Amino acid sequence: QDLLVESGGGSVQAGGSLRLSCAASGRRSTPYIMGWFRQPPGKEREGVTAIGKDGTIDYADSVKGRFTISKDNAKNTLYLQMNSLEPEDTAMYYCAVGLVLGDWSLLHRRVYDYWGQGTQVTVSS
């Protein structure tokens, strides 16, 4: 069974940084898509950034230049470096794994089959 465990969330002041990690375990050994989503209070879950099977990376416009996604294949761990955090970044952050991209963009929820439980990020002004 695939398992995703996020860590690294917390509370920071605006302008600060956090690094999220997502440890993936399970039987899957073939390349897959990995991404970060977030769900602000009272809003729908949205794609933040993702890495495709071929290494293609996409970012939501709201985080470009501030967030960086990376992956350590040897450790099966996905990272999200978040700099220059803003109060609008406050959300529950989720790691996700997808198997087939299909006709969707990397940041579309329909791509992803497995989800972590989430880690809370709170940015105060």
Side-chain angles (χ1 to χ4, degrees):
Q1 183 176 354
D2 295 89
L3 179 64
L4 303 173
V5 179
E6 302 97 335
S7 61
S11 298
V12 296
Q13 290 191 327
S17 299
L18 283 173
R19 188 192 194 204
L20 305 184
S21 299
C22 172
S25 60
R27 57 178 171 82
R28 201 161 305 283
S29 60
T30 56
Y32 41 79
I33 304 158
M34 295 192 78
W36 289 99
F37 285 71
R38 67 185 181 186
Q39 187 165 13
K43 297 184 179 180
E44 293 196 357
R45 195 171 299 188
E46 60 184 13
V48 176
T49 179
I51 297 179
K53 292 181 181 181
D54 60 357
T56 300
I57 293 176
D58 196 9
Y59 292 96
D61 289 342
S62 59
V63 305
K64 283 181 180 176
R66 301 188 299 121
F67 290 12
T68 303
I69 190 172
S70 61
K71 185 170 65 169
D72 186 330
N73 291 323
K75 295 182 179 180
N76 278 340
T77 301
L78 184 71
Y79 301 99
L80 180 63
Q81 178 66 44
M82 305 186 293
N83 298 327
S84 302
L85 282 161
E86 303 168 352
E88 293 74 22
D89 297 317
T90 294
M92 185 70 80
Y93 283 71
Y94 298 90
C95 171
V97 165
L99 307 179
V100 179
L101 183 60
D103 294 329
W104 307 104
S105 75
L106 279 173
L107 300 184
H108 200 291
R109 287 186 61 178
R110 293 281 299 266
V111 171
Y112 296 88
D113 305 286
Y114 303 97
W115 296 82
Q117 293 300 307
T119 185
Q120 178 67 38
V121 171
T122 302
V123 185
S124 58
S125 57

